[in-house]
Every structure is written in C-alpha cells, then in structure tokens.
Amino acid sequence: MNDAPTPALDKDPTPTAGRRRSPVQVSTRVPGRPAFRLGSVSVVWRARMVIVCALIVVATAVLLSISLGRGDYPLSPLQVVEVLLGGGERLDRFIVFDLRLPRGIAAVVVGAALAVSGAITQSVSRNALASPDILGITAGASAAAVALIVVTSGGSIVGLLATLGLPLSALLGALLTAAVIYVLAWRRGADGFRLVLIGIGINAMLIALTQWMLVSADINDVSRAQVWLTGSLNGVSWSQVVPAAIALLLVGGWAATASFTVGALRLGDDTARSLGVKLQTQQALLLIAACALAAVATAAAGPIGFVALAAPQIALRLVGSAGTPIVASALTGALFVVAADLIARTILPVPLPVGLVTSALGGPFLLYLLVRSNRKVSR
C-alpha cells in the first residue's frame, strides 16, 4: 500500500511481454519493493507505511470507543463496541448513536480534512510551515463565518452571506483569501517562501478584521462567535457531520489519487514540468482542494488550530517517506483531534474546547519546526 502512485513501468522486454495479463499483477521489478499494477497505474508496497497506518487506525478506534463511553451516563469501551455492532440496551443505543457519535465522527472528519489540507499546502509550497491556519485561509473562513454570526442587519453583502449559510460563507471566505494570496505571491510562478510571507500578512489582517467585528457587534452575537472561534465540537449534530464527511470523501479522495502530481511538485517546478505536470493548473486545483477541506472543517467545528500544521509533519516522520503522505496525514489528523477532544473532556479539571488543547499541543511543535529550520539554514 502506498498513497503515492508511480508512473507505469516500461514494457517488459522479455518474450512473455506479449502475453495477456490479468488486471492486477504483482511485480518485483522495483528493487527491494514489490509493485502492484492496475491498468496504467502502479503503486509500490511499503511495509512501514502500511504498519504505521494500521496502528494509527487501531489507536483512533480505541480512543474513540473510550471517548464515546465517557459522560454522565458512562459506558465501557466493550459496551460501546457492542452498541456499534447492533447490540446493547435501547438507552445505550440512544446515548451512543444520538448523543455522542456525531461528536466522535466530527472529530475524525475534521481532523482528517485539516490534515489533508495541510499536506497539500505544504507539498505545493514546498514549505513545512505552510498550513491553512498559518497562511490565513482558516482566518478567511473564520472572518466570513463571524460576519454571518455577528452582523444581523446591513446591506446587500450581509444579505448574500445570510442566504449562503455558515458552511458556504466559510468556503467563500477561504477561497477568496486563497485567491488573494496566490495573486499577490505570483511572479512568473508561485514561490513557496513568498506564499508563506504574504499568507502571514493576510492572516494578521483577517484576524484584525475579525476582532473589529467582535468589538462592534452585539454582546449576544459576540458570545456565540467567541465560542465558535475557539474551535469546539460541543453541540455538533449529524446535519453538520454528514456534509463534511461527504466533502472529505470527494475532495480527499481526489487528493489521494493526485499523489503522483503532489510528489512531482515537491521536486520543483522544472522537474514537475519535465514529468508532464501542468504546473499552474495542478497547483490551482490542489490549492482549491486544500481551501475547500479547510473551509468545510472550519464550518463544522470552528478554527481548530495547528492540526493542519502538525499532522502532516508527524505522519511524515512516522512513515519515513520523502514527502507529506496524504492518507497517513489524514489518519494522523483524525487521531490528533480525537485524542485532543478526549483530553479536553476528561483529563483536564474543567472541560475546554478542543481547539484550545490542539493549540496547546501544536504550539511547541511549531517552535520545534522553527528551531529545526533555523539550524538547517545556519549550517
């Protein structure tokens, strides 16, 4: 298993090359690694990546079963598993399926969406510090959503936002922000370092705009917006989880199939062009996908910080790949948010929004990345 498909291998020069082959074959022509081929696409088997992904899935399932069992009506992890498999008492099923499962699935979906968004952004910009929350894309989604929450009367722009609803307004804000950053960073191509610098500036401006709206708004609207801005899974329902899950499957699935393009972009613009990648078109499509995933996650649970930054880098180190892996990043992001939500609900003396816990855990990781980058430059 590998989420980075490789180009089709050259035709077999042996006399058996002309024989009819089955659709799926196992080849040993990649030194030390078997390759699976399906039509014109082949993938290389990497045992470490498969084992790491399997362990992350198991850890996420264990933490999720523990999280679903915690609350005023406690259930053991075995009881939760029994309910999920169709057993258990009627009250247990109501507690798990109607009250707690939307929050648990939301943690998985939001974490995976943010992580995939971060993996794409870091690959396109070829910068480990480039993530939607650092570049201002999340801030753009937040500013649009806060405008919808706090402004209850106004002109045509406010009326347009009100008709779009929270998810679409967040998506619109994220896409507009990404377009502005991309245009400002364009100079015969989009340089990763320029993207990061301009994104940090745009992020600061959007945060200031959000703060200005909060200062100017009604106190009741401000309290609603402040809770949303901390990034919380409280009160998440199926009506928010299902659209986010569908968007993750569609956009994230497309991003996984575009792993070869993502891998080529990591090698530089000239190398990507020489490999047949339509550079500007693919960069734009990938950035749109990253913005869409960040906006969907932000609309479902608010801006949960540092997941998009930390999860792809953690996955990169766990699987030992050359670039940020899409599938492993998604699984790592899901595990990160589920663990943070469990900590926020149970371990801390006072229940806190999950966004505060991820920020507390991700802040030191950002410092680690900055120190590591500084050491590389000073060598």
Side-chain angles (χ1 to χ4, degrees):
M1 173 182 169
N2 179 21
D3 60 341
T6 59
L9 299 177
D10 295 333
K11 293 183 178 180
D12 193 342
T14 61
T16 60
R19 297 177 183 176
R20 187 174 182 180
R21 295 179 175 180
S22 59
V24 179
Q25 296 185 16
V26 178
S27 171
T28 57
R29 283 178 293 170
V30 178
R33 293 171 180 165
F36 290 85
R37 177 179 297 176
L38 179 61
S40 60
V41 177
S42 63
V43 294
V44 178
W45 172 271
R46 288 187 171 89
R48 178 175 173 178
M49 179 173 288
V50 175
I51 294 172
V52 168
C53 289
L55 290 176
I56 293 175
V57 170
V58 171
T60 304
V62 170
L63 291 182
L64 187 60
S65 63
I66 295 174
S67 178
L68 294 177
R70 300 303 298 263
D72 295 335
Y73 185 83
L75 295 170
S76 68
L78 292 179
Q79 287 178 301
V80 172
V81 173
E82 182 183 2
V83 170
L84 293 178
L85 295 177
E89 302 292 334
R90 183 176 180 182
L91 180 59
D92 296 347
R93 293 196 294 272
F94 172 75
I95 294 293
V96 172
F97 284 111
D98 294 344
L99 299 184
R100 298 176 184 172
L101 191 58
R103 179 175 185 146
I105 299 299
V108 173
V109 171
V110 169
L114 288 174
V116 174
S117 177
I120 294 174
T121 310
Q122 291 173 7
S123 298
V124 172
S125 64
R126 298 190 292 277
N127 194 316
L129 298 177
S131 66
D133 40 358
I134 299 295
L135 295 181
I137 296 172
T138 305
S142 301
V146 169
L148 186 68
I149 292 175
V150 302
V151 181
T152 56
S153 63
S156 57
I157 296 178
V158 176
L160 177 62
L161 287 177
T163 57
L164 292 176
L166 188 65
L168 289 181
S169 65
L171 176 61
L172 181 62
L175 291 178
L176 285 176
T177 305
V180 171
I181 295 172
Y182 194 78
V183 169
L184 293 178
W186 178 267
R187 188 174 296 172
R188 298 179 181 178
D191 179 70
F193 185 68
R194 206 159 49 235
L195 272 175
V196 172
L197 288 181
I198 293 176
I200 290 174
I202 295 293
N203 185 51
M205 294 172 61
L206 290 171
I207 290 175
L209 175 63
T210 303
Q211 294 298 323
W212 176 79
M213 287 190 290
L214 292 177
V215 171
S216 306
D218 180 77
I219 186 65
N220 295 321
D221 295 331
V222 171
S223 62
R224 289 176 52 210
Q226 286 287 8
V227 172
W228 185 83
L229 284 173
T230 56
S232 175
L233 295 172
N234 291 332
V236 173
S237 62
W238 287 116
S239 62
Q240 296 165 284
V241 174
V242 172
I246 294 174
L248 175 63
L249 290 176
L250 294 178
V251 183
W254 175 81
T257 60
S259 293
F260 170 70
T261 302
V262 174
L265 291 175
R266 295 190 198 108
L267 302 176
D269 294 351
D270 295 336
T271 306
R273 286 193 189 95
S274 66
L275 292 173
V277 175
K278 296 179 180 178
L279 191 63
Q280 308 306 332
T281 303
Q282 293 299 325
Q283 280 183 340
L285 290 176
L286 287 169
L287 286 178
I288 290 173
C291 293
L293 290 173
V296 166
T298 304
I304 298 180
F306 289 102
V307 178
L309 172 71
Q313 293 300 315
I314 294 174
L316 173 67
R317 286 157 177 76
L318 289 177
V319 302
S321 60
T324 50
I326 301 296
V327 175
S329 298
L331 297 176
T332 305
L335 175 61
F336 190 16
V337 177
V338 170
D341 186 46
L342 182 61
I343 293 173
R345 292 176 53 210
T346 60
I347 296 179
L348 298 177
V350 178
L352 293 175
V354 65
L356 296 180
V357 178
T358 58
S359 298
L361 297 175
F365 189 75
L366 175 60
L367 293 177
Y368 161 74
L369 290 178
L370 290 173
V371 171
R372 188 168 178 270
S373 301
N374 187 42
R375 286 180 178 174
K376 280 186 176 180
V377 172
S378 59
R379 283 177 185 173

